[in-house]
């Protein structure tokens, strides 16, 4: 009897260490990983490949790491922000010298047969660094924001030069989300991305571009602490950006590069080139209709009409074989993940933990929107994977590391703030 009571107490003490963790968040991420392995097997069943069980093995390793991290105190990372930042940049620099080239880019480092992609782990490192820089700023100033942007520009530039457009866009989404949650003036965030908007608008319509410059100037006048100088600088930067962007587009970019960026607007222009993936993906999703053709039964999927479908275009396989119902189910699970992340951010014990949760939320939600938009023809092909579902060891591991960080934040919440 005494041994039984001791056993019960021992089991209670084991689970007590995770009593504040978020089981719904864990369950949603694990469920998506298992489901991703099933869909990868469906895509590759006629190719004799075994990526599906590798996906599960990587997920198991990632889950193990996430559980360990969830038991640790996340606040100690504040004092480790600079070592983490240095390691991120050194790994990205190493890619330039000893990296492996694939699919036209140099992004991987081969370590004992395992291809490590430092840019994926850099996303998590950036979240930690930026959260550590923001957590003690009640109302960040323009100087604070510019300092943080300068710090983040180093890893961003190294990733963009690989070239890795997709991950560099994720960096921007993380920065915007964390800045907004960290009480940075919303007007400054608009001004921050105004040069990029000018580049796009100047290549689409000159009158709209001029109107945007006027709007940006008004925002600068109303939000910056030095109205005259700030407005002049904003207008000047947007004019120069628009002209430089127009020059790059007209002179430096080759025709196939332009087609890759704009092909999603009219993929039928190049049905065998830049528009091929988009056309085949839309056909596959449309063929699934309401209930889908059945697991392992999709014609587009089983006949390999979509190259590399197990990575960036896994959602098209879900749409074809499981139909609209399967797609809605996947979106619902992602909604659950985002909802739990917001709840953890709102109930965290401190600003650092709250910012970590919002950084992970920004990273995941941006990747979901861009990847699914890419699959249904609403976004260009940028190489952004669908979290937990697409095959990719580095991407899956980085997602589980981020999950462990957030669960650590949840695990250390006060009991009165529980949202279960």
């Amino acid at each position: 009897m005494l041994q039984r009571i001791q056993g019960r107490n021992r089991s209670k003490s084991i689970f007590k260490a995770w009593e504040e963790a978020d089981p719904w968040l864990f369950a949603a991420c694990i469920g998506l990983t298992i489901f991703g392995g099933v869909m990868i097997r469906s895509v590759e069943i006629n190719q004799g490949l075994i990526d599906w069980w590798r996906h599960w093995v990587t997920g198991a390793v990632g889950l193990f790491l996430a559980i360990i991290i969830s038991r640790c105190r996340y606040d100690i990372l504040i004092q480790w922000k600079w070592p983490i930042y240095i390691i991120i940049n050194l790994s990205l620099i190493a890619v330039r010298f000893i990296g492996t080239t694939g699919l036209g880019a140099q992004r991987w480092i081969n370590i004992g047969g395992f291809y490590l992609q430092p840019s994926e782990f850099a996303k998590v490192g950036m979240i930690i660094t930026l959260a550590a820089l923001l957590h003690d700023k009640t109302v960040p100033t323009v100087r604070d924001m510019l300092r943080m942007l300068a710090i983040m520009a180093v890893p961003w530039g190294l990733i963009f030069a690989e070239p890795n457009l997709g991950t560099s866009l994720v960096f921007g989404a993380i920065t915007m989300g964390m800045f907004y949650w960290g009480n940075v003036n919303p007007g400054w965030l608009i001004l921050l991305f105004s040069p990029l908007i000018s580049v796009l608008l100047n290549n689409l319509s000159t009158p709209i571009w001029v109107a945007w410059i006027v709007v940006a100037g008004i925002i600068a006048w109303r939000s910056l602490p030095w109205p005259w100088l700030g407005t002049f600088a904003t207008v000047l930067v947007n004019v120069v950006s628009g002209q430089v962007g127009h020059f790059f587009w007209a002179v430096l970019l080759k025709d196939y590069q332009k087609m890759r960026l704009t092909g999603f607007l009219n993929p039928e222009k190049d049905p065998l080139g830049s528009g091929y993936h988009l056309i085949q993906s839309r056909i596959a999703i449309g063929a699934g209709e309401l209930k889908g053709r059945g697991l392992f039964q999709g014609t587009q999927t089983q006949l390999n009409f979509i190259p590399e479908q197990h990575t960036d275009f896994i959602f098209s396989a879900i749409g074809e074989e499981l139909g609209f119902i399967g797609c809605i189910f996947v979106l619902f699970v992602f909604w659950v993940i985002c909802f739990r992340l917001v709840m953890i951010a709102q109930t965290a014990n401190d600003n650092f933990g709250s910012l970590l949760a919002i950084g992970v939320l920004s990273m995941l939600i941006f990747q979901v929107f861009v990847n699914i938009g890419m699959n249904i023809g609403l976004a260009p092909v940028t190489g952004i994977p669908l979290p937990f579902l697409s095959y990719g060891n580095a991407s899956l591991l980085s997602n589980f590391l981020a999950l462990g960080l957030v669960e650590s934040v949840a695990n250390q919440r006060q009991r009165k703030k529980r949202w279960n």
Side-chain angles (χ1 to χ4, degrees), residues 266-281:
N266 187 9
E268 286 75 15
K269 271 189 174 182
D270 189 14
L272 298 179
S274 61
Y276 180 78
H277 282 79
L278 298 173
I279 293 172
Q280 297 301 324
S281 178

Side-chain angles (χ1 to χ4, degrees), residues 158-284:
L158 291 171
I159 290 173
F160 187 79
E162 289 181 353
N164 192 342
L165 175 62
T167 304
S168 63
L169 292 176
V170 177
F171 263 50
I174 292 172
T175 303
M176 285 286 287
M178 295 182 71
F179 273 177
Y180 176 79
W181 194 260
N183 292 324
V184 171
N185 190 310
W188 301 350
L189 298 181
I190 297 174
L191 295 178
L192 177 62
F193 281 86
S194 63
L196 178 60
I197 298 174
S198 290
V199 170
L200 297 175
L201 292 181
N202 192 31
N203 286 285
L204 295 176
S205 171
T206 300
I208 297 178
W209 172 57
V210 173
W212 167 249
I213 293 177
V214 174
V215 171
I218 294 173
I219 294 173
W221 178 270
R222 296 179 62 89
S223 63
L224 291 176
W226 359 266
W228 287 106
L229 179 60
T231 301
F232 174 76
T234 298
V235 172
L236 178 63
V237 168
N238 276 271
V239 170
V240 172
S241 299
Q243 294 299 326
V244 171
H246 188 73
F247 171 77
F248 271 85
W249 182 266
V251 178
L252 298 184
L253 287 183
K254 300 183 183 300
D255 289 339
Y256 78 90
Q257 293 174 318
K258 296 177 183 178
M259 285 298 298
R260 184 173 181 182
L261 293 173
T262 62
F264 75 100
L265 298 173
N266 187 9
E268 286 75 15
K269 271 189 174 182
D270 189 14
L272 298 179
S274 61
Y276 180 78
H277 282 79
L278 298 173
I279 293 172
Q280 297 301 324
S281 178
R282 289 193 309 188
I283 291 174

Side-chain angles (χ1 to χ4, degrees), residues 128-144:
I128 296 172
T129 303
L130 193 54
L133 293 172
L134 268 173
H135 83 282
D136 59 348
K137 310 290 183 185
T138 305
V139 181
T141 64
V142 174
R143 180 176 295 179
D144 292 331

Side-chain angles (χ1 to χ4, degrees), residues 115-128:
Y115 288 89
L116 184 70
Q117 190 173 354
S119 60
E120 289 292 336
F121 300 101
K123 294 185 293 188
V124 181
M126 176 187 172
I127 291 172
I128 296 172

